[in-house]
Amino acid sequence: MEINDRNQLVIIAKVLVGNLQEQALSESLTSLRESTPEHFLPNLFRFAKKWSKASFPIPIAELWADFTKLISLHPEWGFVVIEGAHIADIASFYAEINKVYMAGENWKIGSLDGFDDLLYGGFGKLQDAKKHTIIWRDIAHSRAALGVTTTLAYYQEKLAANSPFNHTYFQQKLADLQAGKGQTYFDIVAEIIQSHPKIDWIY
């Protein structure tokens, strides 16, 4: 995929998650339609041709469905979509991550360290992609679901009597969160993503 084509898909993704106004779609779709015949990518060209001719207002739900189908057909382009509305707690966060990244693997991610390792590449859906862009839809829902209440329960589980984890460490984490100065589980996930400078995060 050419750099310009990828950049136009990034712009479309930003519109679809609400970061750019809908007017930005027209120019990006036209650019895709005009550039793809030079290095013919049939799926991309069909997508761009269809939507560059669409009248405004664009039916965003239908465009989103076509866009996500397009990038799912081409994991080598390096785009993934996390559906924030699917995330209700920590378990469902990892269920979404494994559905997105690990469908072809015989093992699953289930910890923050595992999520961090995943983003370095080398395994999972995007192991062969040169670029990596996370498109996180409905991120406000995820932020709330992985917020203070969920994080308090997570730390309290780590502090259970039979827990093998470092109680001193998690007791401090719990105290910080209760004092309003600690990280939520979502904050930790965001920090992990942001620690990978080669990953673009659209939300």
Side-chain angles (χ1 to χ4, degrees), residues 93-94 97 109 111-119 189 192-193:
F93 164 70
Y94 288 112
I97 293 302
I109 298 297
S111 69
L112 292 166
D113 287 341
F115 180 61
D116 190 26
D117 289 342
L118 171 70
L119 298 185
V189 168
I192 289 171
I193 295 172

